[in-house]
Amino acid sequence: MAIAALAGSTVTQEAPRKKSRIALILLLPGIFYLVLFFIVPFVSLVITSLQVPSATNFGQFDTAFNWQTYVDVVGQYGTQILRSFFFALLATVFALLFSYPLAYFIGVKARRWPLLQGLMLVLVIAPFFISFLLRTLAWKQILSDEGFVVSALKALSVLGPQDHITGTPVAVVFGLTYNFIPFMCLPLYTTLERLDVRYLEASNDLYAGPFATFRKVTIPLSLPGIVSGTLLTFIPAAGDYVNASSEFLGGSSSTMMGNVIQSNFLVQLNYPAAAALSIFLRAIILIIVSAYVKRSGTDDLL
Amino acid sequence: MVAGSFAESGADLELVGIHKRFPGFTAIEELSLKVPAGSFFALLGPSGCGKTTTLRLVAGLEEPTSGQVLIGGKDVTGMKPFQRPVNTVFQSYALFPHMTVIENVAFGLRRRKVDDPVAKAHEALRLVELDHLAARKPLQLSGGQQQRVALARAVVNRPALLLLDEPLGALDLKLRRQMQLELKTIQTEVGLTFVHVTHDQEEAMTMADTVAVMNKGAIEQMGAPEELYELPTTVFVANFLGQSNLFTGPVVESTGDTIAVDIAGTRIVVPTARAQRHSGIVTVGVRPEKLSLVTEDPGPAAGLNVIGPGRVVDVSFSGVSTQYIVEVPRLGTMVCFAQNMVFGPVVDVGASVWLSWKVDHGFGLDDVAEQAGAVQVGSAQDIAALDPEAVL
Ligand SMILES: Nc1ncnc2c1ncn2[C@@H]1O[C@H](COP(=O)(O)OP(=O)(O)OP(=O)(O)O)[C@@H](O)[C@H]1O
Ligand SMILES: [Mg+2]
């Protein structure tokens, strides 16, 4: 879904409408892939979401058209749904605030020193070399009650004697932000790296100070990067179930939709509810993303 | 400049001992010049000689390694570009791709909170005949149209000092003439100061009050267009601005008024006042249109330099004049332009001719051409193709 939305935002011209066998042949693997790994599971998910518990066999489900499940899960998990989007939004904003200056430095300021540029890019990508589960666990250690962060903050009276960091929304949003920063940083870097500083000079020459130049020239010119970065962060963050899980950084007060789906599928074995939640999550994200892409009008750029 | 208002008049520009070094390359050796307020200053020079760098230093986009920039008597060396009362028409246009044409033009006005920016921007677009394309994005325009938008975007601000980096280079001749007139009108109406970089000598000569010829990061010669053309002081200027016939030889006689130079047995006399150096080996020259071509030996005459006989090797007709290339033994190849007073050329290829010119029309240069005569001449196309730096 994310991929489709991204592709839609960057295609600027319609390809010439010419029937071509080669194009079709080249498209076949892609179509096959989509049918096999997207359409089929999706249809199966829709069917599952409409099933009812079997009257005869306990733990089995019969095919039906029980859309009531959707109403039930939305009512039952409303808090977690809202929380998921809120946390994802926060993580996206924080990741953007952190990544933009970093990407700007690597992509624009560090142009004169290619070595530094390469080094910093490697540092941005380096976390990918270690499983994000391990990295998130490491953060759990660092932020744990025995860790030095908590003791230091307690010593400074920022935290009370009974307070924790792990298990709180703060830790979850922190974890989400941390895990998605590379996804924000890389698209930003690619657009900023191509930013022609002559536009900034022209803006400067036309009486725009640094702030006005940033607002009127730099931001609009890097909008494609901002849009892809925020999408690549927001979409997976909204469905993330690792950071918010109580085995990692979350707790009961910070459960997100991903955790609810996981528990319905794997613990409660309530497949229709889990499927309905998944589809609902997808639908909402699709609506948010299309509204966002449309509004930012990225297809007008470049 | 005060926000919300236009400059009342131009500001003078002074560069004091500017030196600019890029990592590993010195772009400006040493540059000092003064452009009086309200004047039209043209900067001519071969590609890569530092014209754009000079403008960038004035605009504040580049910091001089040493030296000062003064605008309106105020030292602006440390000032940021947006604080300087200067606008630039960039050689690369640098139009904002995400804004429409009209937004591009109104950009500077909006930043300075000028009243009614859109109306003023439309007015500027009408001036460059592009008002009908106001709603387009720059990438949807042709190169010449983009260039005119860049011109409008800078001119609309009526800055005290306007820097134009080859602002008309992409335009056809007719449009270029028209834009030259518009520019000149704006400049004289408000009395703004223009610094204009161009490759078009004619444009520089017709528009500017002062022309400066730049070479290898330094100004070779600066002055009124006629002065620069009639009395070049260096080999570079003599060849870069128009064409010249040059001869190098020792000074053999020096009276109060004239010096005589011996070129392989031929004496060429130049007025002392028009010669930069009066002894030793010197290079003297004369413009091709000052030569007259005769088919009989005119004999020695007072106040006249005569060389010949030579053989005409090429005749090319160019409308108002005809260019003759004459091979003179021991002196080299010479170029002569003759007005077409009669139908067709006066002489044909192979004819034996003498060339003469008034002593008063000659000039003596400050430096010495490495090779006498032959290098500088040739057909006009050859000269255009020659890299001026390679000539030196
Ligand atoms: N940022 C830079 N770093 C290194 N060298 C530079 C830089 N900018 C310009 N130069 C060099 O300085 C010299 C002068 O450049 P400049 O752009 O001023 O030339 P120009 O006279 O405007 O030429 P043209 O007529 O081709 O536009 C050139 O040799 C160029 O290679
Ligand atoms: Mg240039």
Side-chain angles (χ1 to χ4, degrees):
Chain A
M1 200 165 31
I3 307 298
L6 281 176
S9 71
T10 47
V11 170
T12 49
Q13 288 162 313
E14 275 192 35
R17 295 207 169 277
K18 208 163 132 197
K19 286 228 166 80
S20 159
R21 206 190 286 249
I22 297 180
L24 206 67
I25 293 171
L26 289 175
L27 271 176
L28 268 181
I31 293 174
F32 181 72
Y33 176 89
L34 276 180
V35 169
L36 198 64
F37 296 107
F38 183 75
I39 307 282
V40 172
F42 186 74
V43 169
S44 137
L45 205 61
V46 171
I47 294 172
T48 310
S49 73
L50 296 169
Q51 285 173 338
V52 287
S54 163
T56 51
N57 290 336
F58 181 73
Q60 300 279 309
F61 294 91
D62 292 340
T63 308
F65 190 73
N66 181 27
W67 54 267
Q68 183 64 32
T69 315
Y70 283 85
V71 181
D72 292 345
V73 291
V74 172
Q76 194 182 345
Y77 299 115
T79 326
Q80 283 85 349
I81 292 171
L82 284 178
R83 186 187 286 144
S84 290
F85 288 119
F86 181 60
F87 281 6
L89 184 71
L90 282 181
T92 307
V93 170
F94 289 139
L96 181 63
L97 289 180
F98 181 87
S99 303
Y100 201 97
L102 183 63
Y104 189 87
F105 182 82
I106 305 175
V108 181
K109 292 284 165 193
R111 279 181 203 176
R112 271 175 289 168
W113 310 290
L115 208 67
L116 179 71
Q117 205 174 19
L119 188 73
M120 293 192 69
L121 265 183
V122 167
L123 288 181
V124 170
I125 302 169
F128 286 130
F129 293 127
I130 304 167
S131 156
F132 85 108
L133 293 177
L134 283 180
R135 281 183 280 122
T136 314
L137 271 180
W139 275 111
K140 185 182 181 171
Q141 288 282 312
I142 296 169
L143 300 175
S144 68
D145 294 348
E146 302 81 41
F148 74 93
V149 176
V150 170
S151 4
L153 288 177
K154 280 187 178 160
L156 291 168
S157 302
V158 178
L159 286 181
Q162 302 305 319
D163 289 342
H164 315 279
I165 296 182
T166 46
T168 64
V170 173
V172 175
V173 172
F174 174 86
L176 287 172
T177 309
Y178 161 78
N179 274 312
F180 288 106
I181 275 176
F183 295 92
M184 181 68 90
C185 215
L186 289 177
L188 281 177
Y189 163 77
T190 16
T191 42
L192 285 171
E193 200 254 341
R194 279 181 294 148
L195 179 74
D196 192 339
V197 290
R198 286 182 293 188
Y199 298 132
L200 310 186
E201 289 179 346
S203 165
N204 255 259
D205 187 68
L206 291 163
Y207 314 106
F211 182 69
T213 299
F214 182 69
R215 207 164 52 93
K216 294 283 176 188
V217 183
T218 314
I219 297 237
L221 287 178
S222 55
L223 204 56
I226 298 177
V227 170
S228 12
T230 45
L231 288 180
L232 285 178
T233 304
F234 182 82
I235 297 170
D240 184 78
Y241 67 92
V242 171
N243 288 282
S245 123
S246 52
E247 284 151 48
F248 289 88
L249 298 168
S252 53
S253 65
S254 60
T255 318
M256 290 169 68
M257 225 170 11
N259 307 99
V260 175
I261 294 172
Q262 184 208 20
S263 110
N264 268 297
F265 255 125
L266 303 178
V267 182
Q268 303 173 35
L269 304 182
N270 187 354
Y271 301 130
L277 267 174
S278 301
I279 290 169
F280 182 74
L281 173 70
R282 245 172 227 210
I284 297 289
I285 289 180
L286 193 66
I287 292 168
I288 295 178
V289 165
S290 5
Y292 176 64
V293 168
K294 191 141 206 120
R295 230 200 83 89
S296 55
T298 39
D299 36 23
D300 236 28
L301 277 166
L302 301 174
Chain B
M1 205 178 333
V2 187
S5 69
F6 287 131
E8 305 269 294
S9 64
D12 57 357
L13 165 69
E14 199 178 343
L15 300 181
V16 188
I18 294 280
H19 175 82
K20 174 70 192 174
R21 216 186 138 65
F22 289 114
F25 186 81
T26 303
I28 309 274
E29 279 301 341
E30 147 75 42
L31 189 64
S32 293
L33 62 84
K34 199 164 177 169
V35 181
S39 70
F40 198 119
F41 186 88
L43 204 51
L44 269 175
S47 184
C49 71
K51 304 180 297 291
T52 299
T53 307
T54 309
L55 294 195
R56 288 173 60 83
L57 287 164
V58 175
L61 299 171
E62 213 78 70
E63 247 180 83
T65 312
S66 63
Q68 286 172 303
V69 180
L70 289 91
I71 297 173
K74 208 169 121 203
D75 188 347
V76 297
T77 317
M79 254 196 209
K80 295 273 178 262
F82 61 93
Q83 297 163 323
R84 301 190 184 192
V86 175
N87 283 116
T88 311
V89 181
F90 292 95
Q91 192 171 11
S92 56
Y93 317 152
L95 299 174
F96 304 124
H98 59 292
M99 294 181 196
T100 58
V101 165
I102 190 77
E103 279 310 309
N104 262 285
V105 178
F107 189 88
L109 299 173
R110 286 199 203 280
R111 300 280 79 69
R112 281 175 47 221
K113 314 232 178 324
V114 173
D115 294 332
D116 219 356
V118 175
K120 291 194 171 81
H122 275 296
E123 202 180 309
L125 279 177
R126 266 194 292 280
L127 203 70
V128 296
E129 302 193 341
L130 283 179
D131 203 25
H132 58 293
L133 301 180
R136 288 222 197 143
K137 292 278 176 73
L139 287 179
Q140 300 166 325
L141 301 181
S142 76
Q145 289 169 340
Q146 291 182 25
Q147 189 163 45
R148 282 182 282 159
V149 175
L151 190 61
R153 185 176 72 171
V155 167
V156 73
N157 298 297
R158 301 284 145 108
L161 178 58
L162 185 65
L163 310 176
L164 304 110
D165 201 345
E166 291 178 38
L168 309 175
L171 306 183
D172 62 79
L173 201 62
K174 181 170 166 282
L175 203 53
R176 187 187 301 198
R177 294 277 172 269
Q178 192 181 331
M179 291 300 131
Q180 287 173 357
L181 281 179
E182 306 271 20
L183 278 180
K184 193 74 192 164
T185 312
I186 295 170
Q187 190 252 330
T188 40
E189 243 171 35
V190 195
L192 303 176
T193 313
F194 277 29
V195 178
H196 186 110
V197 166
T198 174
H199 278 300
D200 183 345
Q201 298 182 12
E202 211 178 310
E203 183 172 296
M205 302 258 216
T206 49
M207 295 179 82
D209 308 312
T210 309
V211 176
V213 177
M214 212 173 163
N215 183 29
K216 291 185 182 164
I219 289 191
E220 287 260 335
Q221 193 181 353
M222 191 161 94
E226 316 82 64
E227 184 189 321
L228 221 63
Y229 185 80
E230 296 298 348
L231 194 57
T233 58
T234 65
V235 174
F236 179 80
V237 175
N239 287 319
F240 188 77
L241 214 58
Q243 299 181 46
S244 297
N245 295 302
L246 299 183
F247 314 94
T248 304
V251 176
V252 289
E253 190 190 320
S254 177
T255 69
D257 291 341
T258 58
I259 57 168
V261 182
D262 176 74
I263 321 287
T266 309
R267 268 167 66 98
I268 290 178
V269 182
V270 178
T272 312
R274 288 172 61 86
Q276 305 301 318
R277 292 195 295 131
H278 304 138
S279 59
I281 305 283
V282 298
T283 295
V284 295
V286 63
R287 293 290 188 185
E289 70 278 7
K290 300 289 193 302
L291 298 181
S292 41
L293 189 98
V294 287
T295 47
E296 276 155 37
D297 189 354
L304 218 57
N305 286 312
V306 181
I307 59 172
R311 204 169 57 82
V312 176
V313 292
D314 186 59
V315 178
S316 49
F317 178 74
S318 69
V320 288
S321 67
T322 303
Q323 173 186 276
Y324 298 93
I325 299 198
V326 181
E327 184 91 46
V328 185
R330 298 190 312 281
L331 288 183
T333 322
M334 312 224 358
V335 184
C336 164
F337 293 146
Q339 290 286 319
N340 285 328
M341 311 281 254
V342 294
F343 293 121
V346 190
V347 293
D348 290 320
V349 173
S352 184
V353 293
W354 281 261
L355 294 163
S356 70
W357 69 93
K358 282 196 185 134
V359 166
D360 288 345
H361 287 157
F363 50 78
L365 301 176
D366 202 20
D367 49 357
V368 174
E370 263 169 30
Q371 282 167 282
V375 187
Q376 290 76 20
V377 286
S379 70
Q381 292 89 315
D382 285 348
I383 291 201
L386 276 178
D387 182 356
E389 283 172 83
V391 172
L392 281 184

